[in-house]
Amino acid sequence: MTDPKAIQPSELDQLPDRDPEETAEWQASLDAVTEAAGPHRAAYLMRRTLERAEGAGLALPKLLETDYVNSIPTAAEPGVPGDEATEQRITAWNRWNAAAMVTRGSKYGVGGHIATFASAAWLYETGFNHFFKGKEADGSGDQLYIQGHASPGIYARAFLDGRLNETQLDNFRREAGGDGLPSYPHPRRLPWLWEFPTVSMGLGPLSAIYQARFNRYLANRGIKDTAGSHVWAFLGDGEMDEPESTAALALAAREELDNLTFVINCNLQRLDGPVRANFKIVQELEAQFRGAGWNVIKTLWGTAWDELFQLDTTGALVRRLRQVPDAQIQTYQTRDAAYIRQDFFGGDPALVELAKLLSDDKILECFHLSRGGHEARKVFAAYKAAVEHQGAPTVILAQTVKGHTLGEGFASKNANHQMKKLTVDEFKNMRDLLELPISDSAFVDGVVPYGHPGADSPEVRYLQERRAALGGPAPARRVHPVAPLPAPAEKAFASFDKGSGSQNVATTMAFVRLVKDLVRDKETGKRWVPIVPDEARTFGMESLFPSLGIYSPKGQTYEPVDRDQLMYYKEAKNGQILNEGITEAGSMADFIAASTSYATHGEAMIPFYIFYSMFGWQRTADQMWQLGDQLGRGFLVGATAGRTTLTGEGLQHADGHSPVIAATNPAALSYDPAFAYEVAAIVKDGLRRMYGEAAPGEDQNVFYYLTVYNEPMPQPAKPSVDGVDEGIVKGLYRFNTAESAGITPPANAPRIQLLGSGTAIHWALKAQQLLAEEWGVAADVWSATSWGELRRDALEADEALLRGEERVPFVRQALQGAEGPVLAVSDYMRQVPDQIAQWVEQDYSSLGADGFGLSDTREAARRHFGVDAESIVVAALAQLARRGEVKATSVKEAREKYGL
């Protein structure tokens, strides 16, 4: 075996060297510098050479990590336009009121966070004063994803500009009275202010990327000019540990989303302690973002450090900054100058000499106070560079001190995330530090006062003038008055009413056929946004590829392998389909952006996101809660639904519980349709409610969850009886009776009501025949399109009763007078049909697919779970036997007959 040490570098390089002598000279130069000036100088030269190569556009791997210094040198910083002194006072008032709000609320035990905004104040204030575009200018304004724990600072600014009053501030985190403020950015709770819910860690950055991408989608499809909109996401360095925070970085770079800026507040602390105690989170994030293709700007040190860097003629200071772990930087924040001299400067002779030139006050100013994220000049330079950068998204890594200006008891302390209040003395110290004109007498009975310079003060006038110049208040959510979307032609829905005859059609395919017709509608067709996570062919959607196109900002730069086929893979810059690859989280983020476009951009879009039902609510339910909080509208479609319909895939694909999870979301209307005409009726009503003329009292800010199946079955015609459409939408109607099904039961035959949803109704229909033909029992079959909506209506009836209003739940109305007991069955766990049990007057029992899924044929799986037609027959006979309406021996006979 060849000794690796004996192999020359050129032998390992597959690229031919056309001039080995020149290569050797370069290598020898590097060796000489290393020997003469040391490895640090050699590394410095290599980094600068790589930076020059990158700037010249040479095809070299990017430098993933740079020195622990600001990316923008002081000499290159642009001046901050406007009145810096006034901006300083505005920020001081906002710092004060944010801390006062949380402290005053602490007496109620409702919590709150002080330290986050204290560290990030200038990151927000600089943006509000100079960059963030409002909703009142042309276009849609900017989209701001505010870090949730910084909400007190945003409320404080809204108080200063007159959008909030003291009563509202005093009701921070106390909303039940109707005049309170939600703890975090919650559009559903404060819909005129908040656009985006961001407190579920990691979902903010993920959503911001897909929002920026959706802005480009709207523009490329010619629906809305979004060139003036910029997406800003404010994040914590600890939050970046969430996998969702970095899941889509490559997408943002790949699609060159230079309309997107991440601002990461690197205060080096997470909730319990340092983010990277023994390492450096800024350097780690820089490498991660650079590697993904982002433009990275580091804003680490304030102007007090300029003198230190000028004195660092040997590079020793920069080397030391690269070495010191984050936890030690945090420690410096709390220690005296002597400690810092010894620990930071004492290990290197060059640094010892440098420290001799510094006073103790200078050392403390640098290590205690001076951070890039605390200075408007540094932040302005970073923001300006970000919005001017083209061809890639930008991340700004801004170093701050958590708890800055709150006093020694807060700054950089591990416990400051859990610290909810300041003492009166601490507030007075903060007042003096911020130079605020608040007298001691204003502290009445030990209660900290709110501060306001006056509605006509220079500070408030300046703030309002700056916001007017930038397009109005921010953050702000606006729902522009728009005419309801016209209803699509009735033909698209009515075509399903006649059924499929002898043709077997799965409800998944029925839904796709319906959408295919709806996207052709001249009025609303362009507003559909089909979203699929790389399973379009599984759901039979490949026919949409050539007609709608798959969205790609690059268009199609290649000839697809199936170009000669009718349903070829077509990508287009104006493509309508969002095919996201294997990412349910990314698809949900797409859906959220599209479903809230009616507010964000004043353009109503109709998204439908189709996915394996098992990989929807189970995997991304947190985003579905975010969707509800953000007041999104659209259709979620859980395809290949149910625990027994997806043959062979087994446990991880066998969904027996998504309707249960969906039922926990107040904004979700969950349906389990059995037939194609039911799918059409539900979609039709959903379009009316969410996008058309909603009925009085109906909440438009809902979304629909439909489960559809991949099991081809004959699709019957819609029953021509009154109340079917109402029953489909409300959740229950009688599909047939024993007599209307052509069954002639014996006179005085015992009767039972079979309720089935989704594919389970076919087992109930077969059981209906077996009961009549083999056991003399008459069964009526009901289609339960929505157990969840039946329960929602019943709960509302209960609430009305508490108010003294008599109201009968719809499920009770529908079943009124139905003879015999009720047996409910679905392809889900029994908890799904049991949602309505307490409101059914008849004897009630249920069957379901409880437990883990398994791989087998549909028939075997249904027998395993006891939900097939024969199992329904045995369960029905058992119910009737308990009532004395059939012989008890019939149950045993049936069990033996069917091999159960």
Side-chain angles (χ1 to χ4, degrees):
M1 182 175 179
T2 305
D3 182 359
K5 295 180 180 179
I7 300 177
Q8 298 300 314
S10 60
E11 295 179 61
L12 294 173
D13 192 348
Q14 295 187 40
L15 296 176
D17 189 346
R18 67 180 186 182
D19 193 342
E21 186 175 343
E22 181 183 34
T23 303
E25 290 176 357
W26 276 78
Q27 293 170 339
S29 297
L30 180 62
D31 293 341
V33 171
T34 303
E35 183 176 350
H40 296 301
R41 177 62 180 169
Y44 176 86
L45 291 175
M46 287 300 299
R47 284 198 302 273
R48 293 297 176 264
T49 302
L50 286 172
E51 287 171 357
R52 174 61 64 88
E54 183 178 332
L58 298 182
L60 288 174
K62 287 194 174 184
L63 187 65
L64 295 185
E65 186 180 321
T66 61
D67 288 323
Y68 201 68
V69 296
N70 295 346
S71 301
I72 302 173
T74 301
E77 293 170 359
V80 180
D83 187 334
E84 291 190 55
T86 301
E87 292 179 16
Q88 185 82 36
R89 293 196 300 274
I90 290 171
T91 305
W93 285 116
N94 291 339
R95 287 182 182 277
W96 176 272
N97 287 322
M101 181 194 326
V102 177
T103 297
R104 287 167 68 124
S106 66
K107 66 182 179 181
Y108 301 105
V110 294
H113 301 286
I114 300 179
T116 296
F117 179 73
S119 69
W122 278 112
L123 303 180
Y124 291 106
E125 294 298 323
T126 304
F128 286 130
N129 288 330
H130 301 286
F131 291 94
F132 304 158
K133 294 184 286 293
K135 305 294 183 184
E136 296 172 5
D138 294 337
S140 305
D142 286 355
Q143 288 83 55
L144 308 180
Y145 288 77
I146 305 295
Q147 192 178 2
H149 293 156
S151 62
I154 309 304
Y155 290 140
R157 190 169 224 274
F159 170 65
L160 203 65
D161 72 9
R163 293 195 292 164
L164 293 175
N165 56 45
E166 285 194 18
T167 300
Q168 290 170 302
L169 296 192
D170 263 349
N171 285 329
F172 173 58
R173 292 194 169 202
R174 295 192 299 137
E175 301 177 75
D179 197 25
L181 300 178
S183 52
Y184 301 125
H186 291 305
R188 187 168 286 275
R189 290 300 182 204
L190 204 62
W192 61 267
L193 180 73
W194 297 121
E195 274 196 291
F196 307 108
T198 52
V199 166
S200 193
M201 296 286 100
L203 299 190
L206 180 69
S207 293
I209 290 173
Y210 280 89
Q211 181 66 57
R213 195 281 195 95
F214 189 74
N215 291 357
R216 291 281 171 84
Y217 171 89
L218 288 178
N220 286 332
R221 290 195 56 215
I223 292 173
K224 180 70 178 278
D225 181 2
T226 59
S229 290
H230 198 89
V231 178
W232 300 83
F234 289 85
L235 318 168
D237 47 1
E239 181 180 4
M240 300 311 293
D241 283 346
E242 290 285 3
E244 295 90 348
S245 295
T246 56
L249 297 185
L251 166 71
R254 184 170 66 243
E255 299 203 359
E256 300 178 353
L257 298 180
D258 49 22
N259 60 339
L260 170 67
T261 297
F262 275 17
V263 181
I264 302 181
N265 179 16
C266 298
N267 56 36
L268 313 185
Q269 288 184 250
R270 52 190 182 199
L271 306 190
D272 287 333
V275 179
R276 291 291 183 272
N278 296 297
F279 306 94
K280 302 185 78 64
I281 185 61
V282 169
Q283 301 299 87
E284 179 181 319
L285 291 174
E286 178 184 28
Q288 193 169 16
F289 277 87
R290 283 183 179 273
W294 286 53
N295 175 44
V296 178
I297 299 173
K298 293 198 291 192
T299 302
L300 306 181
W301 307 111
T303 53
W305 283 82
D306 290 348
E307 180 184 345
L308 274 68
F309 289 125
Q310 290 172 3
L311 294 172
D312 181 30
T313 57
T314 65
L317 176 62
V318 173
R319 291 198 299 273
R320 180 66 176 139
L321 288 173
R322 286 174 61 88
Q323 296 166 356
V324 179
D326 285 352
Q328 192 63 22
I329 289 180
Q330 181 182 345
T331 297
Y332 293 149
Q333 175 69 33
T334 65
R335 303 302 290 268
D336 59 22
Y339 177 88
I340 298 172
R341 284 183 187 277
Q342 176 61 36
D343 191 86
F344 182 84
F345 294 97
D348 186 310
L351 290 180
V352 171
E353 293 302 313
L354 189 154
K356 290 178 181 179
L357 304 175
L358 305 175
S359 68
D360 285 357
D361 287 343
K362 182 66 175 181
I363 288 176
L364 293 179
E365 181 187 12
C366 289
F367 284 86
H368 284 193
L369 301 174
S370 188
R371 300 291 186 274
H374 294 324
E375 296 186 14
R377 181 185 180 91
K378 303 292 185 183
V379 176
F380 182 89
Y383 286 7
K384 188 173 187 294
V387 296
E388 292 176 353
H389 186 80
Q390 296 182 352
T394 294
V395 59
I396 297 169
L397 304 174
Q399 186 164 268
T400 66
V401 174
K402 193 168 186 178
H404 183 60
T405 73
L406 296 181
E408 294 180 0
F410 264 83
S412 283
K413 294 298 175 65
N414 281 337
N416 63 19
H417 184 77
Q418 281 71 37
M419 297 161 69
K420 311 300 182 187
K421 60 184 178 180
L422 296 174
T423 66
V424 170
D425 286 341
E426 287 171 328
F427 265 110
K428 290 179 179 179
N429 290 334
M430 181 181 177
R431 171 201 62 190
D432 296 341
L433 174 66
L434 298 176
E435 300 180 348
L436 291 173
I438 299 173
S439 66
D440 287 353
S441 62
F443 293 81
V444 180
D445 296 328
V447 177
V448 57
Y450 293 119
H452 199 292
D456 196 40
S457 65
E459 293 92 337
V460 173
R461 289 201 308 271
Y462 181 89
L463 183 155
Q464 293 175 341
E465 289 168 0
R466 291 305 308 140
R467 290 312 316 159
L470 288 165
R477 182 177 182 271
R478 296 283 187 271
V479 179
H480 302 280
V482 292
L485 294 183
E490 181 64 25
K491 180 181 178 182
F493 306 103
S495 63
F496 293 91
D497 291 352
K498 61 185 178 181
S500 64
S502 60
Q503 182 184 7
N504 289 337
V505 177
T507 52
T508 297
M509 183 54 65
F511 176 82
V512 172
R513 288 184 184 178
L514 173 63
V515 170
K516 192 172 183 179
D517 289 338
L518 293 175
V519 295
R520 293 183 180 135
D521 186 86
K522 293 182 179 179
E523 296 289 336
T524 60
K526 69 177 183 179
R527 298 194 176 274
W528 283 87
V529 183
I531 303 167
V532 59
D534 200 36
E535 288 280 6
R537 298 182 193 278
T538 301
F539 308 134
M541 292 175 59
E542 63 268 33
S543 61
L544 299 179
F545 288 170
S547 58
L548 301 184
I550 299 166
Y551 173 72
S552 170
K554 296 286 188 182
Q556 192 152 38
T557 61
Y558 61 93
E559 183 177 357
V561 67
D562 52 1
R563 183 63 181 85
D564 57 343
Q565 298 179 16
L566 181 64
M567 293 182 287
Y568 70 97
Y569 196 82
K570 176 186 174 184
E571 295 188 80
K573 188 174 182 179
N574 64 347
Q576 195 163 349
I577 301 169
L578 292 173
N579 190 317
E580 287 306 345
I582 306 175
T583 168
E584 287 81 9
S587 299
M588 268 305 303
D590 261 337
F591 187 88
I592 292 170
S595 71
T596 54
S597 178
Y598 72 92
T600 308
H601 294 293
E603 294 286 348
M605 304 299 288
I606 311 171
F608 81 86
Y609 164 35
I610 188 168
F611 50 89
Y612 268 84
S613 66
M614 184 66 164
F615 303 148
W617 286 88
Q618 173 170 299
R619 186 169 290 185
T620 57
D622 196 12
Q623 287 178 284
M624 290 158 179
W625 197 268
Q626 178 190 13
L627 165 66
D629 195 0
Q630 200 168 319
L631 309 173
R633 306 170 185 174
F635 297 95
L636 297 176
V637 184
T640 60
R643 182 145 277 168
T644 70
T645 62
L646 193 56
T647 56
E649 293 286 357
L651 188 153
Q652 288 188 336
H653 287 65
D655 171 23
H657 53 282
S658 69
V660 177
I661 308 176
T664 66
N665 191 310
L669 279 60
S670 178
Y671 287 88
D672 187 25
F675 305 123
Y677 67 79
E678 294 178 352
V679 173
I682 293 165
V683 172
K684 177 183 177 182
D685 192 69
L687 290 173
R688 174 200 62 80
R689 176 169 178 173
M690 294 186 291
Y691 301 98
E693 296 285 358
E698 272 188 326
D699 184 4
Q700 283 191 285
N701 298 316
V702 295
F703 60 92
Y704 283 64
Y705 175 55
L706 280 72
T707 48
V708 293
Y709 297 81
N710 69 323
E711 185 174 13
M713 301 292 287
Q715 296 296 324
K718 181 192 289 188
S720 55
V721 295
D722 293 337
V724 172
D725 285 328
E726 179 189 26
I728 292 172
V729 173
K730 290 190 172 181
L732 183 67
Y733 69 96
R734 181 154 48 194
F735 176 72
N736 68 18
T737 63
E739 291 76 12
S740 66
I743 299 169
T744 306
N748 301 318
R751 188 172 290 267
I752 189 169
Q753 309 298 318
L754 303 179
L755 277 58
S757 69
T759 195
I761 202 168
H762 297 286
W763 322 330
L765 289 170
K766 182 179 177 182
Q768 180 186 49
Q769 291 182 318
L770 293 175
L771 284 166
E773 295 170 1
E774 300 182 5
W775 305 100
V777 173
D780 300 338
V781 176
W782 299 70
S783 179
T785 54
S786 179
W787 311 100
E789 286 308 290
L790 292 173
R791 177 178 177 81
R792 191 195 304 267
D793 172 79
L795 289 172
E796 290 172 356
D798 286 354
E799 292 173 5
L801 188 61
L802 290 175
R803 297 191 300 268
E805 304 171 17
E806 290 291 337
R807 193 181 131 196
V808 180
F810 179 79
V811 62
R812 190 170 294 169
Q813 295 178 44
L815 291 171
Q816 187 173 15
E819 299 178 38
V822 171
L823 175 61
V825 62
S826 78
D827 202 18
Y828 298 93
M829 56 197 303
R830 288 175 61 181
Q831 189 174 340
V832 174
D834 284 352
Q835 292 180 83
I836 66 169
Q838 72 186 80
W839 293 281
V840 176
E841 294 181 313
Q842 294 89 340
D843 292 341
Y844 187 90
S845 64
S846 63
L847 296 174
D850 285 79
F852 289 110
L854 75 166
S855 300
D856 214 311
T857 64
R858 292 183 178 121
E859 293 75 16
R862 287 161 189 168
R863 176 56 57 90
H864 169 81
F865 287 112
V867 293
D868 60 352
E870 291 78 7
S871 298
I872 294 173
V873 170
V874 172
L877 293 174
Q879 255 190 306
L880 293 168
R882 284 194 294 271
R883 295 162 57 92
E885 296 181 24
V886 300
K887 296 178 181 179
T889 56
S890 297
V891 181
K892 181 180 179 181
E893 291 173 14
R895 191 180 298 115
E896 292 174 350
K897 177 181 178 73
Y898 300 133
L900 295 176

